[in-house]
Amino acid sequence: MDNRKWREIKQQMGFLALRTSALIIFIILGILLYFLFVRGIKVINWGFLTKMPENGMTSGGIFPAILGTFYLTMGAILFALPLGIMAAIYMTEYAVQGKVIRLIRIGISNLASVPSIVFGLFGLALFVNYCKFGVSILSGSLTLGIMILPVIIRASEEALLLVPNGFREASLALGATKWQTIYKIVLPNAIGGIITGAILGVGRVAGETAPILFTAATFYTMKLPNSVFSEVMALPYHIYALMTEGSHPKEQKAIAYGASLVLIVLVLGINMIAIVIRNYYRRKKKW
Amino acid sequence: MVTTNRMEVKNLNFYYGQNLALKDINMGIESNKVTAVIGPSGCGKSTFIRILNRMNDIIIGSRVEGAILLDGQDIYAPEVDVVEIRRKIGMVFQKSNPFPKSIFDNIAYGLRINGINNKGEIIDRVETSLKNSALWEEVQDRLDANASELSGGQQQRLCIARALAIEPEVILFDEPCSALDPISTAKIEELINELKEKYTIAIVTHNMQQAARISDYTGFFLLGELIEFDKTEKIFTNPAKKQTEDYITGRFG
Amino acid sequence: MILNKTKEKLLEWFFLAFAFLSNIFLLGIVIVLFKEGLPLFKDIKVADFLFGRHWYPTFDPPEFGAFPLIMGSLWVTIGSIIVAVPLGLGAAIYISEIASPRMKEILKPTVEVLAGFPSVVLGFFGMVVIAPFLQSAFGLPTGLNALNASILLGIMAIPTITSISEDCISAVPRGFKEASYALGANKWETIIKVTVPAAFSGISSAVILGMGRAIGETMTVLMVGGGAAVIPHGFLQPVRTMTATIAAEMGETAIGSDHYYSLFAIAIVLFILTLIFNIIADLIAQRFRKRIV
Ligand SMILES: Nc1ncnc2c1ncn2[C@@H]1O[C@H](COP(=O)(O)OP(=O)(O)OP(=O)(O)O)[C@@H](O)[C@H]1O
Ligand SMILES: [Mg+2]
């Protein structure tokens, strides 16, 4: 009897501990969002989003940083998406289990684990210096693109694997070649998942700072970029620079709050869009 | 008899990796007749029928020995184009697998793939094949509807229409009715009966009554071997082998 | 006819080339790091680099002892694990074993949102919220220290640990648990003695993966670490990690200088460390999958 009671108490305490850890995580997120929203919303208005910075970064807007982040992410996706889809097509449609595919998987897994700052160095040495692209949108996009390639490959692979094998067999049995089957049957049915993966990739890239530190980003430039060889301001780098450079910490901090809120809303918004699109395709899916 | 055989299987062995799934199969598939393949689950019926249009090519590590002749030509010969073979030998699968496209596009897909791009011709052939598969009446006013809106039996007939549209010479059926209700099954059986006027047909079935009803020849498979192959009448009334008799009388464990 | 076959074969080779891109980029990274990092060792001994206690790259003569930076990275990595493992694992067990479906629907997105948080925003949060808090709580001159960095890295590692652990715990076959219940164990005893041990290798792989993330993380530690390149001997001291050093100093180096080379040399160390973490995590995860399936 006593023993049973003791066991019950232990169980309750254990459950309490587990529940608490889940609760703490929930609270952490709450605190993060609370501070960013409450303090960030104060500085955000239309002008903040659409104007150039003024008075040496102490007032004005963050428009060039938003634009720069847009260019960098688009560039990265435009680069990584086709490559990732084609890699995924090999993995799901052609590959035979064995040494080759193991080697490829090791490559993908380890590329995904490379620290972002190392990508930054790689981009600096290869694109900025060796290819002479300079500190530019191009160098930054390529660096970011390589970084998210594993994400894109995995997402595309998953999407392709979800296409029922019956579709492939039916197409082949009608005398379609393998390529026709992939192009006309498999890809169109996987496109929803691939798009979702790409958008999630955009969300990741938009918040990255380390890879663009030396490849693309600049704290302050008066002109908007006019080619892929321009250096750009970027939201995440802007936040970092506002907090560590310049001579008006107080004013800069307020802007940093606003920029952080914009970045968070952007990243979470992008992820939400991805989820909405995924649900749309799931509902539309007819198998 | 040999001269009217559309297809001929000679000393066929088939391996999944190391596993010998079919052993020394010899049989013929006669023109404008229905040839049925029966046997217990896992005996290799699907494996066998998929060999006949090289669908098993896509299974990694599989291997074919022996010869499969279509009009005297080995379809596994190195110079043969597998795509060409599958155009001539159509297939309808156990689980109906219409594409998630409209009814029209499901059928048009095979036509376009095979280089038919004339809009008028596509429309004609979609209609003809839907009529030939006895589906036209039911779907003529909603060709734009997604194929997934059809019932299971209609979907399977759509798959048949899709196979017919590219005018193959032989059609292979792998348990086309296994997921269907009796009425849909009856429709498809009737259809197969009509189709043999124009096509050569091989059909796998679990259902012995079905084989008895619709086929002219029947092969009985057991554990990867062709135990007996003969006129359907003979197989069901006076089988030569003990195992065949046990199976068709339901005494088989 | 033959043309068709050749075309298909060519296409296969074409796609294969793309599949190998990850390996090619990985190789490219290795080549670049070594090409730009190895020249340092013409002037400096490897041992002096790895174990030297003074990082004074801009002094005359400069010193390139990366030991304080390596130790700095290890300190915050271990600190982050101390923060993240109890919370992340606890939440994973809670989500997979105890939570009601509605709780799951709240907690899973919470973890996902946390995973999507840009590190620079977390670093910012550490500077403006956590630092002042630590400063007054411990009476420190500044709240930018190893503890602050550990907390932030811990927050970043939680999603990795929670989601992978949860997958592994959910993958434990029901039969295991039912056998335990049948022997009279209650739910808690089953979780502690059967479910978690069965998922142990999967969970360890999640933790190691989380450590790999933490050691490679740059922006947060750069912003809240405090920046001192000395070997830390407490969590309330400032730290400077390998990643933060690269990020902070690369902008000021001249290409081809020893300082430039030394930052790439640090990147080599970092790269090798994360590679090891990742390979170990992969191997353990593979073993887990084999055992469970
Ligand atoms: N892709 C495959 N790889 C390896 N073995 C296979 C594969 N497909 C089938 N087999 C094996 O080959 C044997 C024959 O399978 P098959 O599918 O041809 O049987 P079946 O007669 O069609 O059975 P059912 O009536 O259940 O459809 C079985 O032992 C099966 O396990
Ligand atoms: Mg079968």
Side-chain angles (χ1 to χ4, degrees):
Chain A
M1 188 65 200
D2 247 354
N3 180 36
R4 194 188 297 167
K5 223 180 212 164
W6 175 231
R7 284 172 61 195
E8 180 58 29
I9 291 172
K10 274 209 297 201
Q11 160 149 306
Q12 287 311 325
M13 278 172 19
F15 284 2
L16 185 69
L18 297 179
R19 205 168 283 131
T20 310
S21 43
L23 187 68
I24 291 176
I25 293 177
F26 192 70
I27 291 173
I28 289 174
L29 181 67
I31 294 176
L32 277 170
L33 292 175
Y34 173 81
F35 273 99
L36 294 172
F37 267 89
V38 168
R39 297 199 185 160
I41 205 84
K42 282 187 209 145
V43 294
I44 293 187
N45 52 44
W46 188 241
F48 185 75
L49 299 176
T50 55
K51 277 203 199 130
M52 301 292 285
E54 287 159 16
N55 298 328
M57 294 291 147
T58 56
S59 62
I62 55 167
F63 177 68
I66 297 176
L67 188 70
T69 288
F70 175 78
Y71 285 148
L72 287 171
T73 37
M74 284 304 126
I77 290 298
L78 284 181
F79 174 66
L81 191 59
L83 303 186
I85 292 176
M86 291 199 260
I89 287 177
Y90 183 81
M91 306 289 280
T92 59
E93 308 300 316
Y94 289 95
V96 181
Q97 285 305 325
K99 285 212 180 85
V100 172
I101 194 131
R102 275 235 308 279
L103 189 62
I104 295 171
R105 287 210 185 283
I106 289 173
I108 295 171
S109 157
N110 285 312
L111 188 67
S113 77
V114 172
S116 52
I117 189 74
V118 173
F119 282 104
L121 287 187
F122 175 68
L124 170 70
L126 183 64
F127 301 127
V128 177
N129 294 334
Y130 184 78
C131 300
K132 302 224 166 19
F133 297 156
V135 173
S136 63
I137 295 177
L138 183 59
S139 299
S141 295
L142 292 174
T143 308
L144 289 170
I146 294 175
M147 196 187 85
I148 51 155
L149 187 62
V151 178
I152 303 276
I153 295 177
R154 283 180 185 154
S156 308
E157 222 185 308
E158 243 169 67
L160 291 168
L161 283 176
L162 278 178
V163 177
N165 238 337
F167 293 177
R168 295 183 179 87
E169 293 197 337
S171 173
L172 291 174
L174 289 169
T177 62
K178 187 154 187 159
W179 170 239
Q180 286 171 323
T181 301
I182 292 171
Y183 181 66
K184 297 195 170 166
I185 299 293
V186 181
L187 274 181
N189 283 303
I191 202 71
I194 294 175
I195 291 176
T196 310
I199 296 176
L200 289 174
V202 168
R204 274 248 342 247
V205 166
E208 280 291 340
T209 320
I212 57 172
L213 276 177
F214 334 115
T215 57
T218 173
F219 181 28
Y220 185 53
T221 164
M222 270 318 284
K223 48 183 202 312
L224 293 176
N226 53 20
S227 84
V228 292
F229 295 107
S230 307
E231 53 180 7
V232 282
M233 293 172 67
L235 266 180
Y237 181 71
H238 198 55
I239 296 166
Y240 166 68
L242 283 167
M243 294 304 290
T244 54
E245 286 174 35
S247 51
H248 296 82
K250 193 157 165 294
E251 288 85 352
Q252 291 179 194
K253 191 161 114 180
I255 299 177
Y257 263 113
S260 294
L261 181 54
V262 171
L263 182 57
I264 280 297
V265 169
L266 209 69
V267 168
L268 296 186
I270 289 170
N271 287 347
M272 221 117 89
I273 292 173
I275 291 167
V276 168
I277 291 185
R278 185 175 61 197
N279 290 347
Y280 168 79
Y281 274 103
R282 280 214 186 127
R283 238 179 306 119
K284 220 186 78 173
K285 197 151 74 176
K286 294 291 181 11
W287 70 77
Chain B
M1 175 166 151
V2 172
T3 47
T4 57
N5 273 352
R6 196 69 207 250
M7 293 189 79
E8 223 163 325
V9 178
K10 285 191 170 162
N11 308 322
L12 168 72
N13 288 321
F14 184 82
Y15 301 83
Y16 285 117
Q18 300 299 316
N19 273 349
L20 182 57
L22 291 174
K23 266 169 274 182
D24 197 26
I25 311 290
N26 286 285
M27 75 188 256
I29 295 173
E30 202 174 320
S31 278
N32 300 88
K33 290 279 183 314
V34 175
T35 304
V37 172
I38 61 171
S41 187
C43 67
K45 306 183 295 292
S46 295
T47 303
F48 174 72
I49 201 140
R50 288 165 58 94
I51 287 170
L52 299 182
N53 73 338
R54 291 186 61 173
M55 279 314 285
N56 277 343
D57 284 20
I58 60 179
I59 292 174
I60 287 145
S62 66
R63 192 156 53 85
V64 174
E65 287 171 2
I68 311 286
L69 308 181
L70 174 67
D71 299 328
Q73 155 83 0
D74 185 358
I75 65 171
Y76 280 88
E79 71 276 11
V80 169
D81 183 7
V82 58
V83 168
E84 207 53 47
I85 292 302
R86 292 186 190 139
R87 272 171 207 175
K88 285 190 197 158
I89 308 176
M91 182 154 207
V92 175
F93 297 83
Q94 179 162 357
K95 193 166 164 284
S96 71
N97 51 5
F99 302 123
K101 300 170 180 276
S102 71
I103 294 170
F104 184 89
D105 284 336
N106 255 283
I107 300 172
Y109 174 77
L111 299 170
R112 294 193 185 114
I113 288 282
N114 289 292
I116 297 164
N117 288 310
N118 181 319
K119 192 117 191 32
E121 187 177 358
I122 291 179
I123 291 173
D124 284 349
R125 281 174 70 166
V126 167
E127 180 174 338
T128 316
S129 56
L130 280 171
K131 281 178 175 156
N132 286 340
S133 66
L135 191 58
W136 177 250
E137 304 278 300
E138 290 152 74
V139 302
Q140 56 178 323
D141 349 294
R142 49 175 179 142
L143 293 177
D144 289 334
N146 197 292
S148 63
E149 289 164 27
L150 298 175
S151 73
Q154 289 172 326
Q155 286 190 13
Q156 193 61 297
R157 275 180 284 151
L158 177 62
C159 291
I160 294 173
R162 185 174 66 182
L164 296 180
I166 58 171
E167 297 179 346
E169 295 161 17
V170 181
I171 306 180
L172 310 172
F173 291 86
D174 188 358
E175 299 194 41
C177 305
S178 68
L180 302 183
D181 62 280
I183 295 177
S184 305
T185 301
K187 275 198 179 138
I188 289 183
E189 285 183 8
E190 208 175 302
L191 182 59
I192 288 172
N193 209 22
E194 286 164 18
L195 288 176
K196 75 176 180 187
E197 309 263 311
K198 272 180 76 182
Y199 302 94
T200 303
I201 290 172
I203 178 170
V204 167
T205 174
H206 237 112
N207 178 329
M208 281 172 283
Q209 284 78 32
Q210 185 171 61
R213 280 193 300 267
I214 62 175
S215 70
D216 303 290
Y217 293 92
T218 297
F220 170 59
F221 279 70
L222 187 60
L223 293 174
E225 288 183 75
L226 178 58
I227 301 296
E228 190 169 352
F229 178 63
D230 213 323
K231 284 222 158 73
T232 298
E233 228 181 72
K234 169 98 177 11
I235 293 271
F236 282 93
T237 52
N238 185 20
K241 296 271 172 60
K242 175 92 169 41
Q243 292 118 305
T244 315
E245 190 179 347
D246 285 350
Y247 182 70
I248 59 170
T249 53
R251 253 180 287 154
F252 188 83
Chain C
M1 276 198 324
I2 297 299
L3 207 67
N4 240 334
K5 250 192 229 166
T6 328
K7 228 170 71 185
E8 291 286 310
K9 204 72 206 162
L10 280 175
L11 268 169
E12 178 169 353
W13 285 98
F14 173 80
F15 286 120
L16 177 65
F18 284 96
F20 265 111
L21 273 182
S22 301
N23 304 64
I24 292 168
F25 287 136
L26 204 58
L27 188 69
I29 290 172
V30 171
I31 291 172
V32 164
L33 291 186
F34 278 80
K35 186 168 160 292
E36 306 284 289
L38 288 184
L40 177 72
F41 302 113
K42 277 190 284 198
D43 299 336
I44 317 276
K45 280 202 231 102
V46 175
D48 287 346
F49 172 72
L50 287 178
F51 302 110
R53 298 186 162 243
H54 302 289
W55 180 259
Y56 299 134
T58 54
F59 280 26
D60 193 22
E63 285 192 62
F64 294 103
F67 194 64
L69 314 177
I70 298 172
M71 288 311 287
S73 287
L74 292 182
W75 268 79
V76 294
T77 300
I78 289 167
S80 73
I81 286 308
I82 295 172
V83 173
V85 167
L87 290 178
L89 184 55
I93 299 172
Y94 181 72
I95 292 173
S96 73
E97 301 297 293
I98 301 176
S100 65
R102 236 186 73 221
M103 276 315 280
K104 272 187 206 179
E105 260 172 51
I106 299 173
L107 284 171
K108 281 193 156 188
T110 301
V111 172
E112 273 166 35
V113 168
L114 215 48
F117 245 76
S119 57
V120 72
V121 175
L122 278 170
F124 172 67
F125 180 82
M127 285 179 90
V128 296
V129 178
I130 299 180
F133 172 75
L134 293 179
Q135 194 179 354
S136 64
F138 294 98
L140 301 166
T142 159
L144 303 177
N145 55 26
L147 178 58
N148 196 337
S150 299
I151 292 171
L152 291 178
L153 290 183
I155 293 175
M156 298 188 76
I158 283 173
T160 307
I161 293 178
T162 302
S163 53
I164 300 180
S165 301
E166 197 227 310
D167 285 348
C168 296
I169 294 169
S170 309
V172 173
R174 247 212 348 247
F176 284 24
K177 299 180 207 170
E178 281 168 357
S180 165
Y181 289 132
L183 291 171
N186 65 23
K187 195 163 181 179
W188 172 249
E189 289 159 345
T190 304
I191 290 172
I192 290 300
K193 296 194 178 136
V194 177
T195 315
V196 170
F200 184 76
S201 54
I203 293 169
S204 357
S205 125
V207 172
I208 294 169
L209 219 57
M211 288 171 77
R213 293 274 153 75
I215 206 169
E217 171 48 37
T218 308
M219 293 319 287
T220 46
V221 289
L222 175 61
M223 292 167 85
V224 304
V230 290
I231 301 168
H233 39 268
F235 274 107
L236 295 178
Q237 304 229 314
V239 280
R240 172 170 240 198
T241 62
M242 295 185 275
T243 53
T245 306
I246 298 171
E249 295 178 9
M250 185 47 95
E252 296 143 23
T253 62
I255 297 178
S257 65
D258 270 351
H259 192 188
Y260 174 88
Y261 294 142
S262 71
L263 296 180
F264 277 91
I266 293 175
I268 295 176
V269 176
L270 190 60
F271 179 81
I272 291 174
L273 278 177
T274 48
L275 207 65
I276 292 172
F277 275 111
N278 190 57
I279 290 172
I280 293 175
D282 267 3
L283 288 178
I284 296 178
Q286 263 172 31
R287 239 187 34 199
F288 171 73
R289 253 176 268 134
K290 250 185 224 147
R291 182 140 10 119
I292 284 296
V293 181

